Amino acid sequence: MSDTRTEAVAHDTGLSERDEVLWQAWKAMELPEGYRAEIIEGAVEVSPTGRIAHAQIVNRLRDAMALALAESPYAPYNDVNVVHGRKTWIPDCLVAPKELEPHTDDEGVGIKASGVSVVVEVVSPGHECRRRDLARKRREYARAGIPVYVIIDDHDGEGTVTVLTEPQPEKADWVGVHRVPYGTEVAIPEGPAKGFTIGEAITGARRG
């Protein structure tokens, strides 16, 4: 894309030239198998896919959600881009309509954040991985106005599940914060997945 074209797009959308440059760079990336790239708070972040324990939690969550939503017009997805402006994230799991076409972004690379009702991240080990899910993505999902953010943290003491609700986009924060240890069931309180419970069947048994 030429500089002139970049400036025109940025002007038309209200985005900065940097946003557009990052977006074009992200779309052009070719990553080796086992890696994924996201645009988080003004930077392209490349990270490896999760370890076995991570994958097991994600699979149990997705399978349970698929059963719970089977009779509804919604479904769980993973490995799908969520697009908001010129930012894109890949949650470990999300809930969106089964009919995705009305909610696909203009370039067909992912689901618009406005069509997503729940995002879930299963925290990976390591300082930067934890900061990404617990801080940077926490702010980004709030800015996008996604109604519910669930964090399953296998590395927080004996394990915790946090359900964040009532996003405040202008503050990049959440009003509702409900955090429980593994072994204590917690339900999604609103939206199409309302009443879906996260407990030992998903996280594994209580520890300690």
Side-chain angles (χ1 to χ4, degrees), residues 149-163:
Y149 177 26
V150 178
I151 304 170
I152 300 175
D153 192 347
D154 213 40
H155 310 282
D156 178 12
E158 302 299 329
T160 61
V161 179
T162 303
V163 178

Side-chain angles (χ1 to χ4, degrees), residues 117-163:
S117 57
V118 180
V119 287
V120 183
E121 297 287 1
V122 179
V123 181
S124 295
H127 178 68
E128 282 306 308
C129 291
R130 291 180 58 77
R131 285 191 65 240
R132 182 176 62 244
D133 291 341
L134 300 175
R136 294 193 295 275
K137 279 193 169 182
R138 173 175 172 150
R139 292 190 293 263
E140 289 283 59
Y141 292 148
R143 289 186 185 106
I146 294 173
V148 180
Y149 177 26
V150 178
I151 304 170
I152 300 175
D153 192 347
D154 213 40
H155 310 282
D156 178 12
E158 302 299 329
T160 61
V161 179
T162 303
V163 178

Side-chain angles (χ1 to χ4, degrees), residues 10-21:
H11 176 75
D12 291 344
T13 61
L15 298 167
S16 71
E17 183 176 343
R18 175 183 171 83
D19 290 330
E20 186 64 27
V21 169

